[in-house]
Amino acid sequence: MRLKGKRAFITGAGSGIGWETARQMVLEGAHAALIGLPSDEVERKAKRLRPSALGVFADVSDEAQVKNAVEAAVKAFGGIDILVASAGIQLHLEDRDLHTLQSEAWDRTHNVNYRGVFLTVKHVLNEMVESGSGGSVAIVSSVTGLSGFSANPAYLSGKHGLIGLSRHVAVHYGRYGVRCNAVCPGALERTPNHEEHPDPKGRAERFEARVPLGRLGSPAEVANALVFLSSDEASYINGACLTIDGGLSSA
C-alpha cells in the first residue's frame, strides 16, 4: 500500500494511461479523483473504484471547469497530494504538414495538451502551496517531446513544452515541498484518438520493428512508473524526465 492515505487528482482518467493510473493508485491505498470527459465514461470508471474514487467531468481546456474539479476533489478528500496530468489528444489526420496546417487543428491540440496541463498544474499547485502540504506532480509528455520525428507538429511541440513546464515546477516549487517529474511514453498499443489513426495496423508493425524490445507498450507499464514517482519511494526524484519506450529513443 505505497500510497495509503494519499489523495490523487488524475486527468484523462476515463481511458488509457489516466484510467490505469487511477486503478493502480486505488489498489495502492490512495483516494483518486478521476477527471475527464465524456462524463458518463468518467463516472462509470469511478464507480468501479468506489468508495475510494470520485468521478468529475471536466474539459481541461476550460479554466472554470478545472478549478471546479479541484474544489470538488478537495471537498471530497480534504486535499490533494498527487497530481497526474494525463489528458491529451492527437489529431492524426488534421495535425500534419506545418506549411498547410489549419490554425483550428493547432489550437485544438494545444488547448488540451498544453493549456490544459498548465491550467491543471496551476490550480493543483495553488491548493498544495496554500495547504502547505506539498505533494507530487507528474506530467505525461511523450518520446515525441524528445525529438522532431513526429509528423504531427502541434502534438510534438506541445509535448516538448510539457517537459519544460515540468522542470520549471521542479525548480521553483521544491521549496514548497512539491516534486515534479515528467514521463515520456513511447509507442503504446493505442495512441490518443486511436480510432482516428489512418493506419493503426501499419503503425503497430512499424514500431514493433523499431523498438528494441520488439513490442508496443501498455498503459499499465506507464502507470507503474507514475505510481512509483508519486510515492515516498521517489522522495528525492525531482525534475526527472523518465522515458518509457522499450528503448525506442535509444535506437
Side-chain angles (χ1 to χ4, degrees), residues 168-200:
H168 171 87
V169 175
V171 170
H172 294 278
Y173 287 85
R175 64 179 179 270
Y176 296 106
V178 175
R179 296 184 297 108
C180 184
N181 298 288
V183 299
C184 292
L188 302 187
E189 297 160 343
R190 293 181 64 85
T191 70
N193 301 95
H194 191 75
E195 67 284 351
E196 297 179 12
H197 196 284
D199 183 20

Side-chain angles (χ1 to χ4, degrees), residues 94-106 153-154:
E94 301 169 58
D95 181 18
R96 301 185 70 87
D97 301 324
L98 185 61
H99 68 290
T100 58
L101 181 64
Q102 297 296 306
S103 297
E104 181 182 0
W106 176 274

